[in-house]
Amino acid sequence: MGEPKQLLTVRGRPLLETAIAAACDSTLDDVVVVLGAQAEQIRAEVDFGRARVVVNPDYAQGMSTSLRAGVRTLGADIERAVVILGDQPDVNASLLDRLLETQAASGLPAAALSFDGLLHPPMVLARELWADIDALTGDVGLRALVRAHPERVAALAAGTPGDHPIDIDTPEDFARLSAEPA
């Protein structure tokens, strides 16, 4: 991208700030943001609201290290976590709350969005799955857990455009998002 992706301006604010705002506006008790590369620059330019910031010194070793860094900061009283990607500007508090409700009602240890025949983040993970996160290595995220045990994941069918959050992974993704009417 030529600059920290988290700082790209989307709808008048840094991309990461949109995800943080959704989390802070949801019913989540605790919001933890894991930063890696350019952490100090990002801290200086993003409003974190009520979120706590954790810097992952091992970020260069892949996504698995950021997942572990985030989960390890949660208190013993926290029974589940929601993993939200910082590059999905259409995730909102209502969607996060519906995912939490879906997981709780299902009795399963995880919940994720379902569209295009696949399960997508954000994802709710009960504490019983945190050992599985600890076992991940390298540039592996939750997709590996979902593919290994899809029967453990309650699917929330995406029904509205906000339920189909896009990831901003390439300059083309960003250009398409920037071209959308406000």
Side-chain angles (χ1 to χ4, degrees), residues 6 33-40 42 53-60 66:
Q6 302 92 326
V33 178
V34 180
L35 298 178
Q38 290 100 21
E40 291 310 312
I42 294 166
V53 175
V54 173
V55 177
N56 173 16
D58 301 321
Y59 69 88
S66 291

Side-chain angles (χ1 to χ4, degrees), residues 10-82:
V10 174
R11 300 175 190 129
R13 66 191 332 179
L15 177 60
L16 178 60
E17 200 171 292
T18 63
I20 294 168
C24 289
D25 290 343
S26 75
T27 59
L28 293 170
D29 295 323
D30 191 12
V31 178
V32 176
V33 178
V34 180
L35 298 178
Q38 290 100 21
E40 291 310 312
Q41 179 184 1
I42 294 166
R43 282 181 107 149
E45 297 183 36
V46 171
D47 178 358
F48 288 89
R50 66 182 177 95
R52 295 185 291 131
V53 175
V54 173
V55 177
N56 173 16
D58 301 321
Y59 69 88
Q61 295 175 26
M63 281 187 286
S64 63
T65 64
S66 291
L67 287 166
R68 282 195 305 275
V71 168
R72 287 177 180 167
T73 66
L74 299 175
D77 60 324
I78 304 293
E79 291 300 319
R80 57 191 180 157
V82 180

Side-chain angles (χ1 to χ4, degrees), residues 64-128:
S64 63
T65 64
S66 291
L67 287 166
R68 282 195 305 275
V71 168
R72 287 177 180 167
T73 66
L74 299 175
D77 60 324
I78 304 293
E79 291 300 319
R80 57 191 180 157
V82 180
V83 177
I84 305 164
L85 303 180
D87 64 355
Q88 291 182 304
D90 293 328
V91 170
N92 58 51
S94 172
L95 175 62
L96 298 175
D97 291 342
R98 284 184 290 141
L99 272 170
L100 288 163
E101 292 164 5
T102 297
Q103 184 273 328
S106 74
L108 296 172
L113 284 176
S114 173
F115 60 92
D116 299 333
L118 299 170
L119 295 170
H120 299 270
M123 183 176 290
V124 179
L125 301 168
R127 182 175 284 278
E128 68 187 76

